């Protein structure tokens, strides 16, 4: 029998998101589920009850009626203890739970014999789990919104301008932490025209920062900061001292600081001290995205925007909720992908399979039994280090060569010798007309070989797409065969049927080659355009 999915209205202060949207409701119905939504649940995100009804959902008058019917409950925020008491015994709860921070909630869920799937516990290191990764979805929205809030509180343009009224310098933005939220903030600030700098304890994100238009600011201290699962780890005291010195320098130079540093299961690290705030220019802005976990700035007030020493410190804890329609759409899509994994039979019944590492990781309670924390997922073996891989490749012989390398002198001499011998034999026995065409053919092969061989292998695809596009010489030759020139008497030497057929076939292939080459080149160039 198909199960009911219930979506209650979020009652946390300032929460505007809803756990599912009409577009996703229609897809849940196709999976075999029946969907009920509390009246008004989507109002704050601009999803009216009528749109849910049109998608196939049933609107319930209040939360009590919804919980009485729902076998599965989709939520955004963790439920209160009063809401847990309304859950049907043995029901399934899916949403953000934060088990480490909510021991009382976990005990209450166990008492109701609930199966709880905490979307925040998803093993993010599994590539197949990315489609269900709501933390990443919400972090991307929050990073974008953080820049919007900074621009709202900042008293100038982000981009530099030269006007009749004077010159406006570009804003300087420093982003502490280049995770998903940080990278979203970097891209947004750079698109607005600001000079963007960023730092992260994980050295591997430097290229990502640069690709989005930012400058990576390195701490003058060597230590790897990757903590696994997309998070950073707690760094040594020596690194933290060097990092504080770098932050102090940036605070004195930039106009806007956006902090994103979080370590799972621990309070947010304090990166911006009160003394650093005092050194910032009047009118500067700090957006503390870690405010909900205590904040990265010593002067942050969670949930509020305050002014300290002339600097506006934004500590909003609902950044994703401030783009409620967008974040609700992304979040509900993440829950849909999770539901697809739970209901592969598409019969409206879920199966919590502990053999699936992704499902096992986010299941914190199963049928009232505590199953958190989950064992580490089985990851594929790590790829060999580049140096080790290079050492394993056997060296080419002294007379050999690899892709992108010119031939050795000995090999080149042998090739030329063999070519000269063949060319001599052809010259002695072939007709004169054939010899001229053969000469052009050999020179074309040689020049083409030398040009292509010395190109970096990674550029072979765009190179070949362009050469395909300009291969019209074949089309010209085929056209000459199809419509040969007239002789002095005005007659044409028509080719026989075989030659004519080959010429037409060559024209067709060449046309595909030419148009395909231009199409491939155009698509590749489009990848680098905004």
């Amino acid at each position: 029998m198909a199960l009911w999915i219930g979506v209650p209205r979020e009652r946390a202060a300032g929460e505007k998101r809803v756990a599912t949207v009409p577009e996703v409701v229609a897809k849940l119905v196709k999976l075999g589920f029946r969907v009920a939504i509390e009246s008004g649940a989507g109002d704050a995100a601009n999803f009216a009850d009528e749109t849910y009804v049109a998608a196939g959902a049933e609107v319930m008058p209040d939360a009590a009626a919804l919980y009485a019917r729902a076998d599965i409950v989709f939520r955004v925020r963790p439920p209160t203890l009063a809401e847990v008491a309304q859950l049907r015994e043995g029901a399934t709860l899916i949403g953000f739970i934060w088990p480490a921070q909510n021991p009382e909630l976990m005990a209450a869920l166990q008492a109701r014999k609930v199966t709880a799937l905490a979307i925040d516990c998803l093993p993010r290191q599994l590539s197949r789990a990315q489609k269900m990764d709501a933390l990443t979805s919400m972090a991307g929205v929050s990073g974008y919104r953080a820049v919007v809030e900074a621009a709202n509180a900042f008293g100038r343009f982000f981009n530099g301008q030269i006007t009749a009224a004077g010159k406006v310098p570009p804003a300087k933005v420093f982003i502490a932490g280049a995770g998903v939220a940080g990278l979203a903030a970097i891209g947004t600030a750079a698109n607005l025209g600001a000079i963007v700098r960023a730092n992260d304890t994980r050295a591997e994100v430097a290229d990502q920062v640069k690709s989005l238009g930012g400058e990576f600011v390195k701490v003058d201290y060597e230590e790897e900061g990757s903590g696994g699962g997309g998070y950073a780890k707690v760094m040594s005291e020596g690194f933290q001292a060097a990092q504080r010195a770098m932050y102090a320098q940036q605070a004195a130079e930039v106009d806007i600081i956006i902090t994103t540093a979080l370590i799972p299961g621990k309070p947010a690290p304090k990166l911006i001290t009160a003394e650093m705030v005092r050194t910032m220019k009047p009118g500067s802005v700090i957006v503390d995205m870690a405010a909900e976990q205590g904040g990265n700035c010593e002067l942050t007030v969670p949930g509020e925007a305050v002014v300290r020493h002339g600097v506006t410190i934004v500590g909003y804890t609902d950044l994703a909720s401030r783009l409620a329609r967008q974040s609700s759409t992304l979040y509900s899509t993440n829950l849909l992908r999770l539901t697809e994994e739970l209901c592969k039979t598409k019969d409206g019944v879920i199966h919590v399979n502990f053999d699936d590492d992704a499902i096992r990781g986010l299941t914190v309670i199963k049928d009232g039994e505590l199953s958190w924390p989950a064992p580490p997922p089985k990851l594929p073996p790590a790829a060999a280090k580049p140096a080790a891989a290079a050492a394993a490749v056997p060296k080419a012989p002294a007379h050999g060569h690899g892709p992108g390398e010119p031939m050795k002198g000995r090999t080149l001499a042998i090739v030329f010798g063999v070519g000269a011998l063949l060319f001599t034999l052809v010259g002695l026995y072939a007709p004169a007309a054939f010899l001229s065409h053969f000469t052009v053919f050999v020179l074309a092969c040689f020049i083409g070989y030398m040009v292509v061989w010395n190109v970096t292998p990674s550029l072979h695809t765009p190179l070949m797409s362009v050469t395909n596009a300009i291969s019209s010489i074949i089309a010209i030759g085929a056209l000459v065969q199809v419509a040969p020139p007239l002789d002095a008497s005005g007659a044409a030497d028509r080719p026989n049927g075989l030659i004519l057929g080959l010429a037409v076939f060559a024209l067709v292939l060449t046309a595909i080659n030419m148009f395909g080459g231009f199409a491939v080149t155009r698509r590749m160039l489009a990848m680098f355009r905004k």
Side-chain angles (χ1 to χ4, degrees), residues 44-55:
N46 296 315
F47 295 110
D49 289 348
E50 293 76 15
T51 60
Y52 285 101
V53 173

Side-chain angles (χ1 to χ4, degrees), residues 132-429:
M132 302 176 273
D133 190 357
L135 281 173
T136 293
S137 299
M138 297 303 99
V141 175
S142 298
Y144 175 91
R145 183 68 190 198
V147 177
V148 173
E149 295 293 342
N152 180 57
F154 189 50
R156 295 205 330 259
F157 299 139
F158 263 45
N159 62 321
Q161 297 185 19
I162 298 178
T163 69
K167 181 179 179 182
V168 179
K172 295 180 180 178
V173 180
F174 177 72
I175 297 171
V180 175
L183 291 173
I186 292 167
T188 306
N191 287 338
L192 287 174
I195 296 173
V196 185
R197 305 169 185 170
N199 168 261
D200 197 280
T201 57
R202 297 160 294 184
E204 66 268 19
V205 304
D207 290 337
Q208 299 175 39
V209 171
K210 294 175 184 176
S211 69
L212 290 170
E215 174 192 352
F216 187 78
V217 182
K218 193 173 183 299
V219 177
D220 190 17
Y221 194 97
E222 293 298 329
E223 184 177 350
E224 174 54 43
S226 180
Y231 294 99
K233 69 176 185 180
V234 178
M235 307 300 287
S236 67
E237 183 55 41
F239 181 92
Q240 292 181 39
Q243 187 182 54
R244 284 192 293 270
M246 183 270 289
Y247 283 154
Q249 179 184 353
Q250 293 299 321
E253 294 179 5
V254 302
D255 304 298
I256 296 168
I257 296 177
I258 299 175
T259 64
T260 70
L262 283 172
I263 297 173
K266 298 190 177 185
K270 299 299 180 186
L271 305 179
I272 308 299
T273 63
E275 183 58 36
M276 293 179 194
V277 175
R278 290 191 188 93
T279 64
M280 296 182 72
K281 306 168 190 173
S284 297
V285 179
I286 297 174
V287 179
D288 193 340
M289 295 183 63
E292 195 166 11
Q293 301 299 324
N296 296 136
C297 176
E298 286 184 349
L299 303 181
T300 295
V301 178
E304 298 181 22
V306 297
V307 178
R308 299 288 185 267
H309 309 296
V311 177
T312 302
I313 304 173
V314 179
Y316 297 149
T317 58
D318 59 348
L319 289 172
S321 186
R322 288 170 180 257
L323 288 171
R325 188 178 181 91
Q326 180 68 78
S327 54
S328 296
T329 301
L330 294 175
Y331 181 72
S332 61
T333 302
N334 293 138
L335 294 191
L336 170 65
R337 301 306 174 211
L338 171 57
T339 307
E340 289 173 342
E341 293 296 316
L342 294 169
C343 180
K344 294 186 177 181
T345 54
K346 299 183 180 181
D347 57 356
V349 178
I350 63 171
H351 173 54
V352 180
N353 179 17
F354 271 21
D355 292 332
D356 185 324
D357 283 341
I359 302 301
R360 175 65 186 91
L362 54 78
T363 304
V364 294
I365 299 173
K366 185 175 182 182
D367 299 326
E369 296 293 329
L370 184 67
S371 57
W372 177 86
K378 300 171 185 175
L379 298 176
K385 294 182 179 179
V393 177
K395 292 184 178 180
H399 58 277
H401 55 281
E405 299 176 2
M407 289 187 291
K408 304 296 183 182
R410 181 180 175 185
T411 305
L412 193 61
I414 293 173
V415 171
F416 266 101
V418 172
L421 178 60
L422 292 175
F423 196 75
T424 301
L425 293 174
V426 171
L428 290 175
Y429 299 104

